[in-house]
Every structure is written in C-alpha cells, then in structure tokens.
C-alpha cells in the first residue's frame, strides 16, 4: 500500500538522516491520529535505518508498542529484543515483550521477561522502577494462578503490595486467592493493608461466598461499581421516563 501524502513527506524526511527524534515522534503520533498506522510503522523503520542516536532504544520501543497494538505480537517480540539489545533491562520493553509472549502462548518466555524485573534488588530503585516492579509481579501472579501455582501467585502479590499497598486490584486478587485455596479466614495480615481495605477491595460475587449480610453485599457492590465504572446513580436516567413501543427487560 502506498503511503499517504503526509506519510510520504515524513518518510522522505526520515531518509535524509536529518530528522530529529522530536520531529519523528510528533510525525508518527500525527499519522496515528489520522489512522495511518502503516505509514507510522514505515516512518519509524525508515528513521531507524538512517539515524544513530543515544536514545535509539526508545524508538525501537515505540515501534514495538505500535506493532503490538496492531496485533503483530510475534513481530513486536523481535522489535522489543532490538530495544533490549541496546538497553538491557529496559523495564517497559520487558513488560510488553512478556505480554506478547503470553498472547503467543509462550508462557515461560513471558514469565522470564517479568522475572527479570521482579528479581532486581528493590533497594535503591527509583519510584518509576518500583512501579514497573509491581506491574511485573502482578502479571506473574495473574498468569501462574491459571496453572494453579497459588503459592507463587500469593508470594508475588505480597511482594507487590509490600512496595505499594494502595493497589486495590492487587488486594482483590490476593483475597480471591485466599478464598480459592480455602485459607480461612481470608483476611490475614498484609503489609500496610487493613482489614477494611481488604473488604472494600472485593467484588460482588466473591462477597456472596464470604457473607450473607445484605448491608455488606450492597456496600461492596456499590464500591465495586464506583471503582470500575465511575457512574453516578443519577446518570442512569436523569429523571426522564423512557418510552418504547416494545417492553424491554434488563
């Protein structure tokens, strides 16, 4: 497919070897905003062929993220590898590469990517690096649970919550594993997480298995809806009466 006029102009500039990183990213973002995804991919690949830059691994990462978003997971794995060859341990590339491996069914490869991040010594890591570590740990817990490695999943979540105890989804996942493995009572000591926070992290269905108290069930249902959908009750009808020719249920 031939590039669009705007895409062709940018690609021609990239071939000169004189396009700045800022101009490249701005141009690629503009093409994506116009729905010209193939042109954006060609722009990145053309720039990479004709430029050298100290931060070139970021361009490989951007290209990988774009190709991944278009469903090219196998190709994206190789692109992320190019990024990691230049910048070993680049966390966001490892996280995304792991997700691509997971989609492709290469679960061990996915876990290897995330463990490279999760097994780094936590001492001295920046706030951003710690955030990447929690993401990797949460992915590990999510995936190994599917293989009934509940102890590994629980340990990963505990470590994640030790870094950042304000992760409601991680708390919910941890409580869910306690229920799934019949570790009663489900509310046990967690780093800097209170029992009330554990309770409020739950979703409505697991709550039905925990208590038949209708007040608690309503509380959790409302909290879950607020957290996940952020709808206000008054938005659902705004006082209007809806009229339809046919009876509608649900």
């Amino acid at each position: 497919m031939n590039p669009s006029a705007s895409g062709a102009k940018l690609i021609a500039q990239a071939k000169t070897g004189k396009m700045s990183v800022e101009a490249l990213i701005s141009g690629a973002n503009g093409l994506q905003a116009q729905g010209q995804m193939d042109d954006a991919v060609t722009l990145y690949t053309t720039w990479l062929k004709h430029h050298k830059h100290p931060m070139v691994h970021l361009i490989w990462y951007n290209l990988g993220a774009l190709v991944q978003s278009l469903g090219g997971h196998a190709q994206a794995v190789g692109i992320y590898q190019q990024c990691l060859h230049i910048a070993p341990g680049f966390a966001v590339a490892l996280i995304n590469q792991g997700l691509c491996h997971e989609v492709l069914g290469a679960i061990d490869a996915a876990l290897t990517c995330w463990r490279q991040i999760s097994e780094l010594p936590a001492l001295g890591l920046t706030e951003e690096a710690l955030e990447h570590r929690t993401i990797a740990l949460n992915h590990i817990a999510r995936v190994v649970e599917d293989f009934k490695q509940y102890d590994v999943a629980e340990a990963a979540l505990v470590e994640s919550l030790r870094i950042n105890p304000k992760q409601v989804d991680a708390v919910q996942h941890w409580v869910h594993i306690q229920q799934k493995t019949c570790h009663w009572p489900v509310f046990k000591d967690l780093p800097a997480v209170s029992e009330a926070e554990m309770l409020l992290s739950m979703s409505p269905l697991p709550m039905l298995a925990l208590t038949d108290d209708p007040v608690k069930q309503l509380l959790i249902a409302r909290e879950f809806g607020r957290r996940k959908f952020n709808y206000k009750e008054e938005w659902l009808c705004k006082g209007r009466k809806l009229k339809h020719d046919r009876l509608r249920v649900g």
Side-chain angles (χ1 to χ4, degrees):
M1 183 182 294
N2 293 327
S4 63
S6 56
K9 183 177 179 180
L10 288 165
I11 292 165
Q13 291 175 10
K15 286 180 179 179
T16 67
K18 297 180 180 179
M19 176 182 273
S20 68
V21 169
E22 293 77 13
L24 168 66
I25 294 174
S26 175
N29 287 344
L31 291 172
Q32 291 177 70
Q34 297 169 39
Q36 298 167 11
M37 303 301 186
D38 290 340
D39 287 358
V41 170
T42 302
L43 177 60
Y44 274 129
T45 54
T46 302
W47 189 94
L48 285 164
K49 288 178 182 177
H50 294 88
H51 292 75
K52 293 183 179 179
H53 191 277
M55 304 298 286
V56 70
H57 66 284
L58 295 177
I59 306 306
W60 281 109
Y61 170 78
N62 281 4
L63 175 60
L66 175 55
V67 171
Q68 180 183 2
S69 72
L70 297 174
H73 297 97
Q75 184 183 358
V77 166
I79 294 170
Y80 287 131
Q81 196 57 45
Q82 290 285 347
C83 170
L84 292 164
H85 178 73
I86 300 165
F90 188 46
V92 287
L94 281 168
I95 289 169
N96 282 7
Q97 189 181 53
L99 292 171
C100 290
H101 280 307
E102 182 186 0
V103 170
L104 295 168
I107 302 302
D108 287 343
L111 291 171
T112 296
C113 289
W114 299 327
R115 282 171 177 151
Q116 287 184 59
I117 305 168
S118 68
E119 292 174 359
L120 289 173
L123 188 64
L125 292 181
T126 65
E127 184 175 339
E128 183 181 33
L130 288 171
E131 182 181 358
H132 294 150
R133 186 183 177 94
T134 61
I135 293 171
L137 287 162
N138 293 341
H139 281 314
I140 290 169
R142 175 180 57 80
V143 169
V144 299
E145 182 193 352
D146 292 339
F147 294 90
K148 296 182 169 49
Q149 297 178 20
Y150 301 123
D151 55 338
V152 178
E154 182 179 356
L157 288 167
V158 168
E159 178 61 24
S160 174
L161 289 165
R162 184 174 285 111
I163 297 168
N164 177 10
K166 300 304 180 184
Q167 300 178 84
V168 177
D169 287 343
V171 176
Q172 179 186 348
H173 191 183
W174 181 86
V175 172
H176 169 68
I177 288 178
Q178 305 311 302
Q179 290 183 287
K180 198 169 185 177
T181 55
C182 297
H183 286 169
W184 312 108
V186 295
F187 299 144
K188 300 181 181 69
D189 289 340
L190 264 179
V193 180
S194 68
E195 184 172 324
E197 288 171 323
M198 293 181 203
L199 178 68
L200 291 174
S201 77
M202 295 186 68
S203 57
L205 188 58
M207 194 64 188
L208 290 174
L210 190 65
T211 180
D212 58 2
D213 186 334
V215 174
K216 287 184 178 180
Q217 290 177 359
L218 177 61
L219 170 66
I220 297 311
R222 283 185 167 175
E223 177 63 19
F224 182 82
R226 181 200 64 76
R227 187 170 73 246
K228 293 296 184 181
F229 305 106
N230 198 28
Y231 292 151
K232 294 183 179 179
E233 291 182 16
E234 58 267 26
W235 291 358
L236 298 179
C237 66
K238 296 185 178 179
R240 295 176 296 177
K241 293 184 178 180
L242 304 179
K243 296 181 179 180
H244 301 289
D245 295 333
R246 296 181 181 180
L247 178 65
R248 300 182 182 220
V249 179

